[in-house]
């Protein structure tokens, strides 16, 4: 759509006989196309790299203060809530043989069910359901996965790092080895599967059964079911203030690492926000085994001399291994890895990643389903790569 917006005036200029700088228009189209797929705040990355070439009015800035427009949900007496989201699907009926799992066919998700309340026309926005698995030629492939490189690290070096394979090896211990937390825990989803949304919606909630904590609960259960020690932190680092959330979550991570030195993996679980026009948001969706699933985007950072992430190569290897494992089980469940100059507390472990589960246009049900599938693939990957006693000693 953005390409068409640029090509129409380009065609008119050509017809009028005016000379046109094709390369400049092409570059601008490419920049705008990249912008619409960035996670929250990552527009700053492209602003730094392509200063003066971006339309300042195209992308909205980050939220500055969540408190005023999120209705508090008090649960002071019982911060560790019982799980009220749907239970993960039982794996009892899954085949137990060692035969390779046949990859399910990729199908486009059905149209929206059009459930929910009628939205007044003046507040009605559009939802675009889209498979964002990535088909661009400039993506870097690793086995079944793909990566979008927004750094100056040469593609050949990125490829070489990913080809080194899985680098996280769990030990035989009952201690927690995975930390799940949420820098932006109040992020929430659309309440219904619909082609429209209410433009007054903030997609934020402090209700643990509606926000990212509900998604983290399901991911936690899948890993625990596989015998992997997990601790799930449910702190609302972004409430009542959005600003400073990453600094607060960093302190949370450090406290867990001090308490449990056994932790090897730290997963910051979010949901993305994709808005292409003032009244258009995008829903990254794929159908997996007959059900709609919110597509997952893994974010991992690099180092440009200012980030302070010396272990970025280890995080990248882990990200590539996870995506490959997921894609082998559930084709198109992931979007390309977002590889960028962002820190996101990824300096604290060699297995620190940010998960974007769907966008604000997906439903909680779709995102919970994704957490179940991702949890199964991640658990299998970690179990298949446990350390031997000799490796642990070394």
């Amino acid at each position: 759509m953005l390409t068409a917006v640029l090509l129409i005036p380009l065609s008119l200029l050509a017809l009028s006989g005016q000379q046109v700088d094709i390369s400049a228009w092409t570059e601008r189209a490419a920049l705008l196309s990249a912008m619409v797929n960035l996670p929250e705040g990552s527009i700053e990355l492209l602003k730094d790299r392509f200063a003066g070439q971006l339309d300042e009015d195209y992308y909205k800035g980050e939220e500055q203060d969540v408190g005023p427009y999120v209705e508090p949900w008090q649960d002071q007496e019982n911060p560790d809530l019982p799980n009220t989201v749907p239970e993960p699907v039982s794996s009892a009926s899954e085949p137990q043989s060692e035969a390779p799992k046949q990859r399910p066919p990729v199908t486009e998700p059905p149209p929206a069910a059009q459930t929910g309340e009628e939205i007044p026309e003046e507040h009605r926005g559009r939802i675009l359901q889209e498979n964002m698995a990535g088909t661009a030629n400039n993506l870097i492939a690793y086995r079944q996965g793909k990566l979008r490189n927004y750094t100056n690290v040469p593609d050949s070096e990125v490829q070489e790092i990913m080809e080194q394979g899985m680098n996280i090896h769990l030990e035989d211990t009952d201690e927690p080895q995975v930390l799940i937390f949420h820098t932006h825990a109040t992020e929430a989803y659309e309440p219904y599967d619909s082609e429209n949304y209410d433009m007054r919606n903030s997609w934020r909630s402090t209700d643990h059964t509606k926000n990212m904590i509900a998604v983290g609960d399901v991911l936690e259960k899948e890993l625990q079911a596989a015998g992997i020690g997990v601790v799930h932190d449910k702190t609302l680092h972004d409430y009542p203030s959005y600003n400073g959330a990453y600094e607060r979550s960093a302190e949370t991570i450090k406290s867990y690492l001090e308490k449990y030195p056994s932790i090897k993996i730290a997963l910051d679980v979010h949901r993305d926000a994709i808005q292409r026009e003032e009244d258009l948001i995008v829903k990254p969706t794929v159908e997996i085994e007959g059900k709609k699933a919110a597509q997952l985007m893994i974010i991992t950072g690099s180092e440009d001399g200012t980030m302070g992430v010396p272990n970025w190569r280890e995080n990248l290897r882990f990200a590539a291994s996870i995506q490959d494992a997921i894609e082998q089980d559930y084709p198109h469940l992931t979007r390309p890895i977002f590889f960028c100059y962002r820190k996101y507390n990824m300096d604290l472990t060699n297995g620190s990643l940010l998960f974007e589960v769907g966008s604000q246009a997906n439903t909680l049900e779709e995102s919970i389903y994704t957490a179940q599938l991702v949890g199964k693939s991640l658990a299998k990957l970690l179990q298949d790569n446990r350390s031997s006693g000799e490796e642990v000693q070394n």
Side-chain angles (χ1 to χ4, degrees):
M1 179 178 63
L2 287 172
T3 304
V5 169
L6 291 172
L7 289 180
I8 290 173
L10 178 60
S11 301
L12 293 176
L13 287 172
L15 289 173
S16 66
Q18 299 184 39
Q19 291 186 339
V20 180
D21 185 348
I22 298 295
S23 62
W25 279 89
T26 303
E27 181 177 24
R28 186 171 181 83
L31 288 173
L32 287 173
S33 298
M35 288 168 63
V36 300
N37 289 320
L38 296 182
E40 287 183 291
S42 293
I43 186 61
E44 297 303 323
L45 168 66
L46 287 185
K47 284 183 179 178
D48 292 340
R49 293 187 64 193
F50 304 106
Q53 301 182 49
L54 302 177
D55 183 353
E56 292 289 337
D57 294 329
Y58 184 80
Y59 215 86
K60 295 183 178 179
E62 288 187 352
E63 298 153 283
Q64 297 302 308
D65 197 359
V66 174
Y69 59 90
V70 176
E71 181 179 355
W73 182 67
Q74 301 298 334
D75 189 55
Q76 301 299 327
E77 297 181 359
N78 183 19
D80 295 322
L81 298 172
N83 180 43
T84 57
V85 299
E87 291 292 332
V89 177
S90 172
S91 59
S93 60
E94 294 181 357
Q96 301 299 314
S97 67
E98 296 298 324
K101 180 178 179 180
Q102 184 176 3
R103 301 180 76 209
V106 176
T107 59
E108 293 301 318
Q114 289 300 99
T115 55
E117 301 174 358
E118 183 68 21
I119 303 170
E121 187 173 355
E122 64 270 24
H123 300 299
R124 191 182 305 158
R126 297 168 293 150
I127 294 177
L128 175 62
Q129 185 171 262
E130 186 172 301
N131 183 336
M132 300 182 71
T135 58
N137 293 329
N138 61 343
L139 298 176
I140 304 174
Y142 166 71
R143 297 186 182 178
Q144 299 299 326
K146 299 174 184 176
L147 178 144
R148 198 180 300 274
N149 186 4
Y150 284 109
T151 76
N152 291 323
V153 180
D155 288 358
S156 58
E157 182 178 346
V158 174
Q159 182 80 49
E160 181 180 352
I161 294 169
M162 294 194 297
E163 291 292 347
Q164 293 174 20
M166 181 62 170
N167 57 324
I168 302 295
H169 304 285
L170 298 189
E171 301 175 18
D172 290 327
T173 175
D174 293 331
E175 291 293 303
Q177 298 187 76
V178 178
L179 169 63
I180 298 171
F181 66 101
H182 312 275
T183 297
H184 297 154
T186 68
E187 290 174 333
Y189 297 91
E190 272 292 297
Y192 312 106
D193 181 21
S194 175
E195 293 180 351
N196 300 107
Y197 73 97
D198 192 330
M199 296 173 68
R200 297 166 294 184
N201 194 348
S202 68
W203 299 286
R204 296 275 171 175
S205 175
T206 55
D207 185 334
H208 288 29
T209 67
K210 297 179 180 178
N211 60 23
M212 298 316 301
I213 291 172
V215 177
D217 280 342
V218 175
L219 182 60
E220 174 191 16
K221 284 181 177 293
E222 289 293 340
L223 296 177
Q224 288 178 336
I228 297 170
V230 184
V231 58
H232 181 196
D233 181 79
K234 302 181 181 183
T235 304
L236 302 182
H237 296 103
D238 59 339
Y239 181 82
S241 176
Y242 187 87
N243 290 341
Y246 277 98
E247 287 79 2
R248 290 187 288 275
S249 64
E251 293 306 311
T252 294
I253 300 168
K254 291 175 185 177
S255 68
Y256 279 108
L257 292 176
E258 182 177 354
K259 184 176 181 180
Y260 302 111
S262 54
I263 290 177
K264 297 174 178 286
I265 298 166
L267 302 177
D268 192 356
V269 181
H270 297 241
R271 63 109 175 103
D272 203 354
I274 311 173
Q275 182 162 355
R276 291 189 180 166
E277 297 177 13
E278 184 178 358
D279 66 341
L280 177 65
I281 58 177
V282 180
K283 176 177 179 173
T285 312
V286 67
E287 184 173 287
I288 304 290
E289 298 177 353
K291 292 177 61 177
K292 284 187 179 182
Q295 287 178 301
L296 169 75
M297 180 169 68
I298 301 172
I299 299 180
T300 186
S302 184
E303 178 59 71
D304 63 355
T306 65
M307 295 291 103
V309 189
N311 56 334
W312 65 269
R313 292 174 180 82
E314 298 301 314
N315 292 332
L316 174 57
R317 286 176 62 185
F318 186 40
S321 297
I322 291 178
Q323 188 191 43
D324 174 51
I326 295 170
E327 286 294 314
Q328 287 188 42
D329 293 336
Y330 311 108
H332 287 202
L333 183 56
T334 68
R335 296 158 59 188
I337 293 172
F338 188 88
F339 181 54
C340 56
Y341 289 126
R342 306 289 285 187
K343 189 170 183 177
Y344 294 137
N345 294 327
M346 293 177 185
D347 57 321
L348 299 179
T349 77
N350 287 350
S352 294
L353 299 174
L354 193 150
F355 280 5
E356 299 272 12
V357 184
S359 78
Q360 80 272 45
N362 288 100
T363 66
L364 178 62
E365 180 182 6
E366 293 161 353
S367 300
I368 283 175
Y369 183 43
T370 296
Q372 292 176 6
L373 302 178
V374 169
K376 291 180 187 296
S377 293
L378 176 57
K380 184 177 183 300
L381 175 69
L382 294 176
Q383 292 287 36
D384 289 347
N385 287 273
R386 279 191 178 273
S387 297
S388 66
E390 182 179 351
E391 288 172 331
V392 172
Q393 187 176 6
N394 291 337

